[in-house]
Structure formats: structure tokens, C-alpha cells
């Protein structure tokens, strides 16, 4: 698809996409993150937005032309690193306090999906945030929808669901990694002493 267009899904132009990105960022429980990972970043539209809330962003895609476009879009952002990587085989080392899996998980068969989720949960620091956002309509190339993926992600040990936004078109969920003692993380209001 990238052979014929630099942005085959028109991610920069569609109101649907811009709104979905805004809702994704609004769903994140912390105002700022230290180190974020965004696999399957495509042309970098969400990456640019994540960069506003993160000290460092590592974004990647398996398609070289998408990586080139994302690098161009983020060239003025020195704290963003865009790489040509294929997950799960080239999962980056180190921990992250934010991982965003957007429009990605339905491309994997069940064993690979389990591996991706294990890597994500294992890379997420205690108290860290995992956001998942997926199209919720059947597509021949997809092995599920946002709703079916939500059930799969909910079964990952060590994650607590903190936001669940469902629409006809997509499902956005936010999870937080439980602490070493198994305690759930505080809500945004609790963090600010409002409850």
C-alpha cells in the first residue's frame, strides 16, 4: 500500500483519524511520560502527538517508506527516534512507561499476538500505561476487531483496565501496570488528591 502513496490511509487528512488520536491522548492518565514506545507507527501522525507528552519516543514500523515519512515528520523533534523494526522479533530493549499499540494487534495470529502482549507487559514499568486502539469492523486481512482484541488484552496478567472507550468504529482501552506488590495504580483524580 505504501508503494502507491506515502500516506495510504490518509491519516493526516481524515477527521476520523485526528479525532481518534485526540481521544487516545486524552485517555492517557498521566500528563507526561519519560519513555514511550509506539510500534507500527506508520507515517508518524500519532508519533508527533505523543512527542508533545513524552520526554523520549521510540517509534517503529516494518515498512521502510513509512519509516522515512515518519522520520521526516518528526525531524524537528530530537527526542523522537524512528526505526525500521519488525515486532515482535525486533522488540527494543529496556523499559517504557508508555506503550501504544494502535491499529496493530489484529495482524497477528494467536501465538504471535500472545508474544507481542507478553513483550509489551514485560517492557512496561510498574505504574506504566498501555494504550490499545483498534478498528472495530471486520476486515479480510484482520484476525479480529477492536472488541475481540479487547477481550484478549484484558486477559494479560499484571494489567489493570483504567479506561474503556468503545464506539461503533473503534475500541480504545488504557491499562496500567500494577506495582510489584500487586496494588492497582491510582486514578488521575486520586493522584491529585481529589478523591
Amino acid at each position: 500500500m505504501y508503494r502507491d502513496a506515502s500516506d495510504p490511509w490518509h491519516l493526516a487528512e481524515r477527521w476520523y483519524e485526528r479525532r481518534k488520536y485526540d481521544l487516545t491522548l486524552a485517555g492517557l492518565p498521566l500528563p507526561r511520560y519519560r519513555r514511550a514506545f509506539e510500534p507500527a507507527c506508520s507515517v508518524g501522525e500519532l508519533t508527533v502527538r505523543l512527542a508533545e507528552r513524552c520526554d523520549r519516543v521510540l517509534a517503529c514500523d516494518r515498512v521502510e517508506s513509512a519509516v522515512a515519512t515518519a522520520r521526516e515528520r518528526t525531524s524537528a523533534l530530537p527526542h523522537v527516534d524512528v526505526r525500521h523494526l519488525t515486532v515482535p522479533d525486533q522488540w527494543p530493549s529496556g523499559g517504557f512507561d508508555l506503550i501504544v499499540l494502535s491499529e496493530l494487534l489484529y495482524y497477528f495470529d494467536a501465538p504471535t499476538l500472545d508474544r507481542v502482549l507478553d513483550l509489551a507487559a514485560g517492557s512496561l514499568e510498574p505504574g506504566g500505561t498501555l494504550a490499545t486502539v483498534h478498528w472495530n469492523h471486520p476486515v479480510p486481512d484482520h484476525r479480529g476487531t477492536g472488541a475481540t482484541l479487547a477481550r484478549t488484552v484484558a486477559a494479560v496478567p499484571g494489567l489493570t483496565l483504567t479506561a474503556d472507550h468503545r464506539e461503533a468504529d473503534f475500541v480504545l482501552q488504557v491499562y496500567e501496570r500494577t506495582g510489584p506488590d500487586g496494588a492497582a495504580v491510582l486514578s488521575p483524580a486520586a493522584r491529585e488528591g481529589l478523591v
Side-chain angles (χ1 to χ4, degrees):
M1 290 185 71
Y2 289 97
R3 237 177 287 142
D4 299 326
S6 63
D7 184 359
W9 289 279
H10 306 282
L11 301 175
E13 301 162 19
R14 288 196 172 123
W15 167 244
Y16 165 80
E17 296 293 347
R18 292 193 321 261
R19 179 177 171 273
K20 182 181 67 174
Y21 297 147
D22 289 344
L23 287 166
T24 300
L25 290 170
L28 300 178
L30 299 177
R32 191 103 191 131
Y33 290 88
R34 288 183 319 283
R35 186 171 186 240
F37 178 43
E38 181 198 7
C41 68
S42 186
V43 296
E45 282 299 315
L46 181 56
T47 312
V48 170
R49 293 167 184 250
L50 289 170
E52 296 173 8
R53 300 260 305 267
C54 301
D55 296 337
R56 298 190 66 204
V57 177
L58 171 58
C60 72
D61 203 280
R62 68 183 189 91
V63 178
E64 289 187 37
S65 61
V67 170
T69 302
R71 280 183 180 151
E72 183 179 320
R73 284 207 168 115
T74 60
S75 62
L77 304 170
H79 64 295
V80 175
D81 180 14
V82 181
R83 298 183 193 169
H84 179 236
L85 300 174
T86 301
V87 297
D89 294 333
Q90 295 176 306
W91 195 272
S93 60
F96 300 93
D97 61 342
L98 173 61
I99 298 175
V100 179
L101 303 175
S102 178
E103 310 297 348
L104 168 66
L105 297 178
Y106 36 52
Y107 291 109
F108 300 118
D109 61 21
T112 308
L113 174 59
D114 289 344
R115 186 170 168 222
V116 168
L117 293 173
D118 286 346
L119 286 165
S123 298
L124 201 58
E125 298 171 355
T129 302
L130 172 67
T132 64
V133 189
H134 291 89
W135 181 247
N136 201 34
H137 298 284
V139 174
D141 292 346
H142 294 179
R143 297 173 187 228
T145 63
T148 61
L149 289 167
R151 290 191 294 272
T152 303
V153 178
V156 176
L159 299 177
T160 300
L161 180 66
T162 58
D164 190 356
H165 180 89
R166 294 174 190 242
E167 298 186 5
D169 296 326
F170 69 92
V171 174
L172 161 64
Q173 292 190 309
V174 178
Y175 294 84
E176 291 187 76
R177 176 88 183 177
T178 54
D181 59 357
V185 294
L186 297 175
S187 72
R191 285 185 177 111
E192 292 192 13
L194 300 174
V195 292

